[in-house]
Amino acid sequence: MKDLEYTNRRLPYGESDEQVDQLVSAATAHAIEQSHRRATAWHQRHRLVWAAAAMVVILLGVGAALFYAEHKTAVTEPDSEAYAGPVDTFLSSLTDDEAMQVAYYEIDEIPEY
Amino acid sequence: MLGDVERRDQGFALLMRHYGRALYWHIRRLVVNHDDAQDALQETCIKVLEGIAGFKGDEEQLASWLYKIATREALQSLRRRTRLFQSIDDLGDSLVQQLHAEASVDADEATVLFQQAILQLPTQQRLVFNMRYYDDLTHEQIAQVLGKNVGTVKTSYHYAVEKLRDYLKQHSS
């Protein structure tokens, strides 16, 4: 039999005040513990998200650097080929007179073999 | 940040020391079963701790807020006992059976009969009557707990008292 002191009413149940207090403090402690566990889990998840975001940024950076390097090589390649070609090497080795002769060389004057 | 958490935990523990018993008995009267009452109290504590930082109101509103959470958890516990399409209001007989199984050996017949009469009431009337009669909450506080207007609460209490009087007249030897 339970007398509720705060309102002076009776209930047909057997729990004593001490038992109820124990239940309440156990429930209180459990709620606090669970709240701390959740907070820790949240922080861990938070750290994982940041790590993943940093990884994505790094990958994007590396990808962009590789793309830029490849793109730069592709643009400069034709120029270097033009200057390094055998015709250019030959023309640049000629003296001015020889170059003039090549420039005024008539197609009909090319001997046939 | 850590200091805030510690202060929140201390405040929560203090709050539960003050209201814990009342909340436990409120839940116990509704769900009757001791284990279910313990589980519902546990859930109530968790919900209170989660919401305590965001609570803004005076002491009267604090009591209403706590009872609202406890009531919700108790009703949730009762809902788990219902079958498909069965209402909580239909649980009266099974709650009475539970009451007889759980009543302490020294419980007098009149107290058991009175509790039995309360368990026969529709849920809203039972909630209103319990909070008014056992917990001395004002009609305004009960209205806040249930999200109803004060007039509805007063009417529910009036009907509950009438029904209890009739039931006790019929069942008293």
Side-chain angles (χ1 to χ4, degrees):
Chain A
M1 193 75 165
K2 176 69 198 162
D3 290 307
L4 297 174
E5 284 167 23
Y6 53 95
T7 49
N8 204 21
R9 309 289 191 204
R10 296 189 121 188
L11 285 172
Y13 303 119
E15 294 97 313
S16 65
D17 284 346
E18 289 72 31
Q19 283 173 315
V20 176
D21 287 345
Q22 275 177 8
L23 282 178
V24 171
S25 54
T28 305
H30 184 263
I32 291 172
E33 190 191 318
Q34 185 168 322
S35 146
H36 290 180
R37 262 206 312 271
R38 274 186 193 172
T40 311
W42 186 85
H43 283 300
Q44 276 174 352
R45 216 169 31 238
H46 201 66
R47 270 205 295 268
L48 272 176
V49 168
W50 273 110
M55 189 72 88
V56 167
V57 169
I58 289 168
L59 285 175
L60 281 174
V62 169
L66 286 173
F67 175 79
Y68 179 72
E70 195 176 328
H71 187 68
K72 193 180 171 190
T73 311
V75 168
T76 53
E77 251 173 16
D79 287 345
S80 62
E81 247 179 33
Y83 286 112
V87 175
D88 292 315
T89 312
F90 166 71
L91 287 174
S92 61
S93 69
L94 296 177
T95 62
D96 288 349
D97 292 340
E98 286 170 334
M100 287 292 286
Q101 281 175 13
V102 170
Y104 289 107
Y105 206 79
E106 291 294 328
I107 197 78
D108 300 333
E109 294 174 24
I110 298 172
E112 289 181 10
Y113 297 97
Chain B
M1 172 98 179
L2 192 68
D4 285 351
V5 172
E6 265 175 31
R7 264 188 25 217
R8 182 203 64 172
D9 292 350
Q10 282 169 3
F12 167 68
L14 207 65
L15 192 69
M16 292 314 294
R17 260 205 298 279
H18 188 71
Y19 286 101
R21 276 189 202 173
L23 291 178
Y24 172 77
W25 287 117
H26 174 62
I27 294 169
R28 177 81 146 114
R29 281 191 296 270
L30 289 172
V31 302
V32 181
N33 179 283
H34 171 75
D35 292 341
D36 289 349
Q38 203 173 329
D39 291 345
L41 178 72
Q42 179 66 75
E43 285 303 314
T44 302
C45 283
I46 291 169
K47 299 278 160 55
V48 169
L49 184 58
E50 280 173 0
I52 199 167
F55 175 79
K56 283 177 181 58
D58 56 25
E59 198 180 335
E60 197 175 296
Q61 288 168 327
L62 178 66
S64 304
W65 180 67
L66 293 171
Y67 272 87
K68 183 185 262 188
I69 295 172
T71 303
R72 201 184 297 147
E73 290 307 320
L75 293 180
Q76 195 63 36
S77 171
L78 287 176
R79 254 178 230 117
R80 279 195 283 271
R81 287 192 220 170
T82 56
R83 290 186 298 272
L84 194 64
F85 303 122
Q86 191 186 18
S87 157
I88 297 175
D89 287 345
D90 302 331
L91 288 176
D93 290 337
S94 87
L95 290 174
V96 168
Q97 279 179 5
Q98 190 84 52
L99 168 71
H100 287 287
E102 300 238 350
S104 70
V105 282
D106 62 340
D108 64 58
E109 213 174 296
T111 310
V112 175
L113 183 65
F114 185 54
Q115 206 53 223
Q116 188 175 313
I118 294 171
L119 291 173
Q120 300 288 350
L121 293 172
T123 308
Q124 184 172 307
Q125 289 176 17
R126 189 149 66 95
L127 281 165
V128 170
F129 183 82
N130 276 343
M131 285 189 274
R132 186 85 190 101
Y133 180 78
Y134 286 107
D135 298 316
D136 269 349
L137 294 191
T138 63
H139 288 120
E140 287 72 20
Q141 282 180 307
I142 298 171
Q144 279 176 7
V145 172
L146 301 179
K148 307 276 178 193
N149 62 49
V150 179
T152 308
V153 169
K154 284 180 179 170
T155 310
S156 291
Y157 185 73
H158 173 75
Y159 280 124
V161 171
E162 290 292 312
K163 283 182 189 170
L164 288 176
R165 195 174 288 144
D166 290 346
Y167 188 92
L168 292 172
K169 254 187 216 166
Q170 281 173 18
H171 291 80
S172 300
S173 48

